[in-house]
Amino acid sequence: MGMNKKKNRLGLIIVVVVLLIFFNWIGLLGWLKQGISAVLQPMLKSAHSVSSEIKGDEFANLNEAELIALLKQTQSEHNKLVADNAQLRYLQEENNVLRAYAGFFERSKYHQVIADVISRNTIDSNYLQNSNVIINRGSEDGIIIGLLAVDQSGMVVGKVTQVEKGIAEVSLINSRRCNLGVSLQDQARTIGITEGETGLTVAINFIPQTEVIREGDVIVTSGLENNIPRGMVVGKISQAEKENNEIWQRAVVEPYINLEDLMMVAVILPQNNLSF
Amino acid sequence: MYFRIIINLVLVLVLIAFQSSFLNLLPIVSYLNLLLVISLFVLVMNDLDWAIVWFLLIAFCLDVFSFNAFGIHLMTLGLVLIISYVLLINFFTNRSLYSFLFLVGIATIIYDASLLFVDYLYISSTLFVLPNDFWLDELWRLLANLIATGIIFYILNLFSKRFQPVFLRKKIFR
C-alpha cells in the first residue's frame, strides 16, 4: 500500500467518524441503533447471567470457623428481626384499624416497572468510579431520570441517572452519582444525603451533631426528593463518626443487599405524575 | 466479501457482549480491555481496512450502549487506531512480542487517558482531579492487557506465521 493511500485511509477514519456523529445528530441513525440494540440486548443478558453464576456465592471462600461465626451472627440478627417483626405486625394491625376509621387516607401502592439487568459498569464508567447497571427498560416504559430502583424485597438499589428509549442507567447507591435524602427509620425528618464513595461504600455526610445515630440504625429514604417514595430501606449504619470538635458528624451505611448480584430491578414510577 | 463482513460483525457483537456483561462483572479480569487488545491484533494481523472496520464497529456499538454523548468511543478509538497504526509502520515493524506489548501498552494508556478526559468533560463541572487510585487501577488495566496480549500472541503463533518469534536466534556456528 503506498504512503498516500495509507494517509487516505487514516483520513477516511476521521471522515467516517464525523459523518456518523453528524448522521446521529440529525437522527438518521435511529433505526441502526435500535437494530444493534435489539441484537445485543439478549446477548448481553445471557453473558451477564453466565457471569453472575460463575462468580458464585460470597460464602464459598470462608473456612469452617468463619462460617460458624457468621451463622451465630445471622442467628442473633434473625432473633432480633423476629422480635421486631412481631412488634411491627402489631403496629400494622393497629395502623389498619386507624386507617379504616379515618377513611380518608388510602395507602399508596407504587406502580413499578420490572427490568432485567443487561450490563453493569459500562466500559466508560470505571474512570470516575461510578458503579452502575444498565437495564432493558427506558423512556418508552415511563422511566425518567431520578426514579428509584429497588430489588425484589423493596430494598433500594439505586437511582435512574440516564434514560434512552429502550434502556436506562441505574447508578447504584455506592456510586457517587446516586444521592438520596435519608432519615432514620423511626423519624420523619431528613438527616442527610447519601453519597457513594469510590464505588464501595455509602456515606452520609453533614449530619448535624444534634442527631443521635447509633451503629445498626436502619436508614430509609426520607421522601425529600420528587418521585422518591418515603420509607424505602437503604441499609443500616455500620459506622458513626462523631467528633466533639466538629460541626457535623458522618456515618457509613451498609446496604442490606448485595449490589454485585443484581439480575432484575424494579423502578418505582411516579404516581399520576405527582410527587410522593 | 459480504460473508466475511457478516462473520466479522457477529464476532464484534459477541466480543462486546463478552466484555460488557461477562468480563466487567468478574473480579480482576474486569481490568482487561479485550476489545482493545483484539482490535490491535486485527490491525497487526490483517490490513488497515479490516482494522478500520473492527474499530468502527466496536466504537459504534459501544456508543449505542453508552450514556455519554454519541461519538465519544468513535473519537477515542479512532484516535487509538490512528496513533497505533503510525507507531506500527514506523517503529514496531518486526511484529515480535516486544513490539506488540509496547503497542498494546501505549494504546491502553491513550485510550484510558482520552476516555478519562471525555468522562471529565461530560460529567464533572469542577476542577479536574484524578480519581482516587487512578494510577493503581491504570497499572492493573495495563498489566491485564499485557498478559492477555502475551497469551493471545502465543496462541496465534501456533497457527500463524505472521509474527516473529519472541527471541531472535543468532547463528553462532557456521
Side-chain angles (χ1 to χ4, degrees), chain A residues 9 51 118 120 124 127 129, chain B residues 21-22 25 49 112 131-132:
Chain A
R9 289 279 191 280
S51 185
I118 57 168
R120 65 176 298 129
D124 52 345
Y127 297 90
Q129 297 171 351
Chain B
S21 295
F22 186 83
L25 195 69
D49 292 344
D112 289 345
N132 297 340

Side-chain angles (χ1 to χ4, degrees), chain A residues 105-118:
Chain A
F105 187 77
E106 199 180 300
R107 190 173 176 237
S108 7
K109 286 193 174 73
Y110 309 129
H111 296 290
Q112 57 193 29
V113 172
I114 308 289
D116 289 321
V117 173
I118 57 168

Side-chain angles (χ1 to χ4, degrees), chain B residues 123-142:
Chain B
I123 295 169
S124 303
S125 55
T126 52
L127 193 70
F128 181 76
V129 180
L130 275 178
N132 297 340
D133 297 334
F134 172 78
W135 293 111
L136 189 66
D137 285 347
E138 187 59 25
L139 196 68
W140 278 112
R141 279 193 281 266
L142 204 58

Side-chain angles (χ1 to χ4, degrees), chain B residues 39-138:
Chain B
S39 305
L40 288 170
F41 270 97
V42 172
L43 173 67
V44 179
M45 286 188 72
N46 288 282
D47 55 2
L48 180 62
D49 292 344
W50 278 109
I52 293 174
V53 170
W54 266 70
F55 270 87
L56 287 178
L57 277 175
I58 287 174
F60 188 84
C61 292
L62 287 179
D63 271 331
V64 168
F65 276 90
S66 169
F67 288 95
N68 291 341
F70 184 87
I72 280 170
H73 289 99
L74 282 166
M75 283 191 285
T76 49
L77 276 173
L79 181 74
V80 168
L81 174 61
I82 291 170
I83 294 174
S84 302
Y85 185 69
V86 170
L87 290 173
L88 183 68
I89 57 167
N90 289 309
F91 301 104
F92 303 127
T93 48
N94 69 352
R95 296 182 182 191
S96 68
L97 177 62
Y98 299 125
S99 53
F100 226 108
L101 291 176
F102 269 109
L103 194 66
V104 170
I106 291 166
T108 304
I109 292 167
I110 294 168
Y111 181 70
D112 289 345
S114 47
L115 262 187
L116 174 70
F117 181 66
V118 169
D119 223 10
Y120 164 71
L121 286 182
Y122 187 71
I123 295 169
S124 303
S125 55
T126 52
L127 193 70
F128 181 76
V129 180
L130 275 178
N132 297 340
D133 297 334
F134 172 78
W135 293 111
L136 189 66
D137 285 347
E138 187 59 25

Side-chain angles (χ1 to χ4, degrees), chain A residues 148 150-156 231-233 268:
Chain A
L148 194 71
V150 296
D151 76 342
Q152 66 275 16
S153 53
M155 303 280 184
V156 175
M232 308 302 286
V233 178
I268 299 177

Side-chain angles (χ1 to χ4, degrees), chain A residues 121-134:
Chain A
N121 288 345
T122 45
I123 207 162
D124 52 345
S125 70
N126 297 327
Y127 297 90
L128 291 180
Q129 297 171 351
N130 295 314
S131 182
N132 61 26
V133 293
I134 308 298

